[in-house]
Amino acid sequence: IPLKFEKKKMAIRIPAQYAVHSYSYVKSLGITSEQWLNDGSLVVGVEVPGGMQTEVIDKLNSLTKGDVEVKLL
């Protein structure tokens, strides 16, 4: 029986003061797009399994002390 795993696309904006520190975690998720903004902030696109969505958001909040923007696409 073939199984299909649902993937969730997310756009993440990490402020400059946390971007370098959080980059290794975000990279481990599998970056689909990456942009460093002029103010030093990092905007990335990632695709994660649907069941990991809450875990990823919680980890990002922990790394950035709640100062992260996440949009589900």
Side-chain angles (χ1 to χ4, degrees):
I1 299 173
L3 295 175
K4 181 179 178 185
F5 293 101
E6 183 181 8
K7 294 276 191 170
K8 296 285 186 177
K9 293 181 181 181
M10 303 167 72
I12 303 166
R13 184 183 176 279
I14 302 171
Q17 65 266 34
Y18 305 111
V20 174
H21 178 69
S22 305
Y23 184 77
S24 61
Y25 174 70
V26 174
K27 187 176 179 180
S28 74
L29 299 173
I31 296 174
T32 57
S33 65
E34 175 180 335
Q35 180 181 7
W36 290 91
L37 303 180
N38 289 337
D39 65 359
S41 297
L42 174 63
V43 177
V44 294
V46 297
E47 207 173 289
V48 298
M52 286 185 57
Q53 177 182 325
T54 303
E55 178 183 327
V56 169
I57 293 171
D58 288 346
K59 179 68 173 179
L60 288 168
N61 277 321
S62 171
L63 289 170
T64 64
K65 297 178 177 47
D67 196 13
V68 64
E69 294 176 29
V70 179
K71 291 184 184 175
L72 302 177
L73 306 176

